[in-house]
Amino acid sequence: MTADLLEDLNEPQRRAVAHAGTPLLVVAGAGSGKTRVLTRRIAYLLGQRNVSPGEILAITFTNKAAGEMKERVADMVGPRARVMWVSTFHSACVRILRTEAHRLGLKSNFTIYDTQDSVRLMTLIAKDHNIDIKTYSAKYLLSSVSNLKNELIDHETAVSRANTPQEEIVAEVYGEYQRRLMRASAVDFDDIIGHTVALLQAFPDVAEYYHRKFRHVLVDEYQDTNHAQYMLVRQLVGDGSDGVEPAELCVVGDSDQSIYAFRGANIRNIVEFERDYKNATTVVLEQNYRSTQNILSSANAVIEKNVNRPKKRLWTAEGEGAKVTIYTAADEHHEADYIVRTIDELIDNNEYAFKDFAIIYRTNNQSRSIEEVFIRKGIPYKVVGGTRFYERKEIRDALAYLRAVANPADDVSVRRILNVPRRGIGDKAEEAVEMFARRERITFSEALNRVPEIHALATRSATALTEFNTMINHLRTMDDSGAGPSEILMKAMETSGYLKELTASRDPQDEVRVENIAELENVTREFEEQFPAENEDERAATLSDFLERVSLVADSDEIPTDDAHGGVVTLMTLHTAKGLEFPVVFVTGMEDGVFPHQRALGSATELEEERRLAYVGMTRAMQRLYLTRASARSTWGQPNYNPESRFLAEIPEDFVERLGEEAKPLGLSGGGFDRPRKRDVQVMVLNVGDRVLHDKFGMGTVVSTAGHNDSAEATIDFKSAGQKRLLLRYAPVEKL
Ligand code: ATP
Ligand code: MG
């Protein structure tokens, strides 16, 4: 067994897997097997060191990675791997907080606010505090509060440290924000970590319990931990002062892949590991098993331009491989065409299947032009764009219903759906309930139970409020009675009239909304099938379980795993791509101003972070790497002529092959470009019978046209959306 677990590892990997006792740091460049070491180490602990699965806490960067790691360990040691805690920081902390919530004055069914919930709450607070939203947007306030939380600075400390009017305002809303979260028995994403740290610090018996439980703590992607997460790890490992030996700690990471500085990630955590943990051992891995020499050399050449980084010697035995292709397209559509042509060729040669390809870009909106060509050419793909589905209004409304049912104290959710669909409850009525709740020091939901006592209400409003309350209470009764999330969802959508309003509407958008609600119902059903009650002692998954799962869906959870018919091409941002690998990778938009991002151009530190992103992107590739750029790229309907990304020039020509050519821009004059005027490029000429693609309405056929230039218009028949008359100057249509 020992031989098995160590056999297909190199010497330093073996040392890391078998290391016992003192804290262990594994640092190494991309693709050197850090994650493999972590997984193998867990198997080794279980198989060789008699550690029981319940004693292991392993932290990964995404839920998807956690699932995979568990699978792999289960393959090696069998199903008892299932009870291990392998999860993200957030999931692990939610689990701890649910058990210990009462200690912090939270209900165990506390709600987790996502960013949009938080923005809503912050907007309310800014309004109540007469803060000028133009100077201090809710988003600005929130990110300031978030930065403080990442540093574990509480609002009292923030107040005492505030020096500028700006800091004073942030500290003030921070306090109010926390009070309102508490009142709603809710937490935001940062609180999940911060509260857990506070819990472990304030309650030695809780800390001791977890010290005894987790004898092994393992963390992947350690370079992206922020201060709060760093402290969390310290607290969980313990220092022995409670009589429990500190847990064995093993962290793996690569400071060259630190790409979350904007969330407070701190390379310091990895660089100073040996100072933070006494007797720490460091293992360095130097063989890359993922990429060919050309890919690795190119990536190394780029990252070496960062100053003050420890030199690394990363080598590969995978052979030279194909040269890295740098392709210059005339514009983003040609860039997309090139990608599709290349995918087609590689598949025709039977070398690859769709699932082997990844398209990676700097910002989400870059996916659109690629998606359009994929749709047109029938390339199956999936955008891992995150939470797009869950960001839709109808999905958020439906989830607000479910949250209002699961947690009556969740004022934000209750108020979101109070008059959705319209049921005659105006702002005034809502305000009257809110005033009453404040005066009585009760939640909004509790106030709704006492509508007859609220004298400020007009009779009609009172009736509407009572009906709403009866409906929600009925749903709560269903929840209490053990109805599953799917049943509650459908009942909510029906009795509230939400679905009826959508189905009655003639707006084609609403048709899509109905489909999305249906899709959400699928999600609830799949969830129920995944977690059935298997025997009498067990309970089936509840509404709260479902909501918790939904609020923790990380971006990368959507990466397709369906292998049928060769799977699908994956589209995602550079940030989402971290830790993954694909045989063929396209990194697109290699233009100064796109990647590196416009924002970073003026700052040396930010350029270094962009360079790390480039390193992450390039090292995802196993056999073939394409770096593509568009010499003209439209933003807001205007073509931008960006110079090629400076990262491209950093790659020695020996490793690359350059293809494609520079666009010849219109109106070239003298030494520089004259930007074509909007009218010249913007208004297309359409003829009757032309097929077009519209952003929102999809495919359509031109029925008639009128006008010229700026006033050119066309009547277009979009099948499901019907006929639309569009002013071509503004309409986001593309001629096919
Ligand atoms: P990243 O920095 O991108 O997270 P990593 O260091 O975590 O990369 P892994 O993903 O663990 O690297 O490994 C990269 C690839 O190399 C994987 O396909 C892995 O299975 C393979 N690999 C790692 N070590 C070995 C080995 N000793 N023998 C064969 N293959 C290996
Ligand atoms: Mg890894």
Side-chain angles (χ1 to χ4, degrees):
M1 185 80 178
T2 314
D4 278 1
L5 287 172
L6 298 176
E7 198 177 26
D8 50 356
L9 297 176
N10 63 33
E11 219 300 296
Q13 287 179 329
R14 252 177 236 155
R15 250 188 295 136
V17 168
H19 175 87
T22 52
L24 175 68
L25 166 70
V26 179
V27 276
S32 55
K34 296 183 296 297
T35 303
R36 185 176 171 117
V37 161
L38 207 75
T39 312
R40 199 58 68 82
R41 183 175 165 84
I42 296 172
Y44 188 87
L45 290 173
L46 299 174
Q48 291 301 311
R49 291 181 56 197
N50 284 326
V51 173
S52 80
E55 291 176 328
I56 292 176
L57 171 65
I59 302 292
T60 58
F61 203 71
T62 63
N63 289 314
K64 163 115 179 148
E68 279 178 0
M69 189 170 288
K70 232 172 173 173
E71 289 283 302
R72 270 188 238 162
V73 176
D75 287 347
M76 291 182 265
V77 303
R80 67 204 181 94
R82 306 249 162 251
V83 299
M84 268 182 338
W85 284 41
V86 182
S87 64
T88 60
F89 274 116
H90 285 94
S91 297
C93 287
V94 167
R95 213 164 150 184
I96 294 174
L97 284 179
R98 291 268 179 233
T99 325
E100 310 289 344
H102 61 281
R103 308 240 196 185
L104 297 173
L106 286 165
K107 302 202 175 93
S108 66
N109 66 347
F110 60 83
T111 300
I112 300 166
Y113 277 13
D114 61 21
T115 313
Q116 290 196 33
D117 298 327
S118 300
V119 170
R120 250 175 105 80
L121 178 57
M122 194 55 97
T123 309
L124 288 175
I125 291 169
K127 222 195 272 171
D128 289 356
H129 285 233
N130 292 322
I131 287 166
D132 178 16
I133 301 271
K134 288 206 188 74
T135 322
Y136 302 104
S137 70
K139 280 210 170 131
Y140 164 79
L141 293 170
L142 263 181
S143 76
S144 308
V145 167
S146 175
N147 290 343
L148 291 166
K149 288 184 177 183
N150 286 337
E151 290 297 318
L152 293 176
I153 298 168
D154 60 25
H155 61 89
E156 290 92 349
T157 313
V159 169
S160 68
R161 285 194 198 167
N163 278 326
T164 64
Q166 219 160 327
E167 287 171 354
E168 277 165 18
I169 286 180
V170 169
E172 174 190 335
V173 297
Y174 183 5
E176 183 61 16
Y177 179 74
Q178 289 313 104
R179 278 186 289 277
R180 295 217 195 169
L181 282 175
M182 279 312 268
R183 219 167 59 199
S185 200
V187 303
D188 69 12
F189 274 120
D190 301 318
D191 288 339
I192 291 175
I193 311 290
H195 284 0
T196 310
V197 172
L199 178 80
L200 295 170
Q201 281 173 337
F203 299 95
D205 59 320
V206 176
E208 190 182 327
Y209 171 81
Y210 287 102
H211 292 158
R212 290 189 190 283
K213 175 168 174 51
F214 295 128
R215 303 309 302 143
H216 292 270
V217 176
L218 304 97
V219 186
D220 198 1
E221 310 276 6
Y222 191 66
Q223 77 278 357
D224 278 322
T225 48
N226 60 31
H227 180 68
Q229 291 163 333
Y230 163 82
M231 281 307 286
L232 177 72
V233 171
R234 287 210 81 140
Q235 296 292 331
L236 284 169
V237 167
D239 58 8
S241 62
D242 53 4
V244 187
E245 269 291 295
E248 268 188 40
L249 175 64
C250 169
V251 308
V252 314
D254 176 8
S255 48
D256 285 334
Q257 294 186 67
S258 171
I259 54 174
Y260 279 95
F262 65 94
R263 278 198 215 152
N266 200 338
I267 305 186
R268 182 217 157 270
N269 295 348
I270 202 161
V271 177
E272 296 189 8
F273 186 81
E274 294 188 3
R275 207 167 85 186
D276 294 335
Y277 292 94
K278 291 220 169 57
N279 311 319
T281 303
T282 300
V283 171
V284 180
L285 307 177
E286 295 188 330
Q287 179 171 2
N288 169 297
Y289 290 89
R290 178 181 295 149
S291 313
T292 63
Q293 189 66 59
N294 277 323
I295 293 171
L296 195 59
S297 301
S298 302
N300 283 343
V302 172
I303 196 66
E304 272 164 17
K305 293 289 185 293
N306 273 3
V307 294
N308 288 333
R309 59 179 279 279
K311 285 264 172 293
K312 279 195 201 120
R313 287 182 301 266
L314 202 57
W315 61 280
T316 178
E318 300 299 296
E320 213 170 282
K323 290 204 167 175
V324 172
T325 302
I326 294 180
Y327 184 84
T328 301
D331 58 28
E332 71 268 30
H333 305 293
H334 288 96
E335 183 188 34
D337 283 339
Y338 172 72
I339 293 171
V340 170
R341 274 204 315 277
T342 310
I343 293 177
D344 274 344
E345 264 168 41
L346 291 174
I347 287 184
D348 285 349
N349 294 342
N350 287 322
E351 286 177 79
Y352 298 102
F354 288 123
K355 66 166 170 27
D356 295 329
F357 296 88
I359 321 290
I360 311 181
Y361 34 79
R362 178 67 181 83
T363 53
N364 265 309
N365 60 318
Q366 283 172 257
S367 75
R368 202 189 62 109
S369 54
I370 298 163
E371 283 185 72
E372 278 169 15
V373 181
F374 276 20
I375 292 171
R376 211 159 58 204
K377 299 284 167 70
I379 304 270
Y381 74 95
K382 170 115 182 178
V383 182
V384 186
T387 45
R388 284 160 84 230
F389 177 73
Y390 289 102
E391 276 164 16
R392 293 173 176 278
K393 177 186 178 297
E394 63 277 14
I395 299 304
R396 303 187 54 75
D397 285 340
L399 288 175
Y401 268 95
L402 297 185
R403 286 177 176 169
V405 171
N407 177 10
D410 182 357
D411 286 358
V412 168
S413 294
V414 173
R415 290 170 72 169
R416 178 183 175 111
I417 56 165
L418 191 63
N419 201 33
V420 177
R422 286 209 182 105
R423 45 175 76 88
I425 302 172
D427 289 349
K428 268 205 179 133
E430 188 185 342
E431 224 164 80
V433 179
E434 159 76 345
M435 294 290 281
F436 181 80
R438 263 199 222 170
R439 205 170 54 233
E440 298 289 317
R441 295 176 189 282
I442 55 178
T443 65
F444 196 88
S445 283
E446 286 168 324
L448 286 177
N449 283 327
R450 292 165 60 181
V451 162
E453 293 171 56
I454 311 176
H455 301 299
L457 285 171
T459 320
R460 267 172 70 186
S461 305
T463 312
L465 283 165
T466 307
E467 278 173 11
F468 171 79
N469 194 39
T470 309
M471 171 192 67
I472 292 289
N473 279 335
H474 176 70
L475 295 166
R476 285 179 186 143
T477 311
M478 285 176 69
D479 185 25
D480 294 342
S481 325
S486 66
E487 220 178 315
I488 298 171
L489 171 67
M490 286 331 283
K491 192 77 179 177
M493 293 294 90
E494 277 158 23
T495 54
S496 66
Y498 194 93
L499 213 47
K500 197 168 152 200
E501 188 178 88
L502 288 182
T503 39
S505 158
R506 285 211 213 129
D507 183 344
Q509 286 271 53
D510 286 337
E511 247 169 69
V512 178
R513 295 206 167 101
V514 173
E515 286 166 18
N516 287 333
I517 303 266
E519 180 59 26
L520 183 64
E521 202 225 0
N522 282 341
V523 178
T524 55
R525 286 203 188 279
E526 279 168 22
F527 181 76
E528 286 167 0
E529 279 160 23
Q530 229 178 330
F531 300 99
E534 292 188 330
N535 56 52
E536 277 169 324
D537 305 335
E538 252 180 83
R539 61 179 180 81
T542 64
L543 186 57
S544 297
D545 298 339
F546 173 72
L547 289 170
E548 179 172 323
R549 167 78 160 248
V550 165
S551 51
L552 290 173
V553 194
D555 289 1
S556 19
D557 287 343
E558 289 177 33
I559 290 170
T561 44
D562 177 18
D563 271 2
H565 314 296
V568 299
V569 177
T570 304
L571 276 64
M572 68 199 144
T573 64
L574 287 153
H575 282 97
T576 308
K578 194 176 67 163
L580 306 176
E581 60 188 20
F582 295 87
V584 186
V585 168
F586 294 84
V587 181
T588 70
M590 296 297 298
E591 299 133 41
D592 261 24
V594 175
F595 185 34
H597 196 277
Q598 184 74 38
R599 235 188 1 244
L601 295 183
S603 147
T605 28
E606 292 204 28
L607 268 175
E608 294 218 332
E609 174 118 340
E610 297 286 308
R611 200 174 272 111
R612 288 191 292 270
L613 262 176
Y615 179 71
V616 167
M618 295 168 76
T619 53
R620 299 310 98 200
M622 299 163 82
Q623 292 143 20
R624 286 169 189 271
L625 173 62
Y626 297 84
L627 306 170
T628 65
R629 64 177 271 255
S631 46
R633 181 181 298 276
S634 306
T635 12
W636 305 113
Q638 293 273 31
N640 277 314
Y641 296 92
N642 294 315
E644 75 164 38
S645 170
R646 61 193 67 194
F647 301 147
L648 294 180
E650 293 169 359
I651 309 174
E653 293 296 324
D654 292 352
F655 309 134
V656 303
E657 158 185 61
R658 283 185 180 259
L659 297 175
E661 59 183 277
E662 215 58 45
K664 294 173 196 69
L666 304 162
L668 189 67
S669 71
F673 293 133
D674 247 354
R675 297 241 154 122
R677 277 175 305 150
K678 186 168 177 146
R679 202 180 55 206
D680 298 339
V681 285
Q682 188 51 21
V683 183
M684 70 184 72
V685 178
L686 286 181
N687 295 308
V688 174
D690 280 351
R691 305 261 297 146
V692 298
L693 184 65
H694 186 278
D695 272 5
K696 203 155 68 187
F697 306 128
M699 302 277 202
T701 309
V702 178
V703 179
S704 67
T705 61
H708 301 283
N709 293 338
D710 279 6
S711 59
E713 58 176 64
T715 305
I716 302 174
D717 186 7
F718 297 99
K719 262 193 219 104
S720 57
Q723 286 204 358
K724 307 273 173 198
R725 198 173 123 190
L726 301 172
L727 206 48
L728 295 178
R729 192 172 150 208
Y730 300 114
V733 294
E734 192 199 333
K735 195 162 151 180
L736 299 183

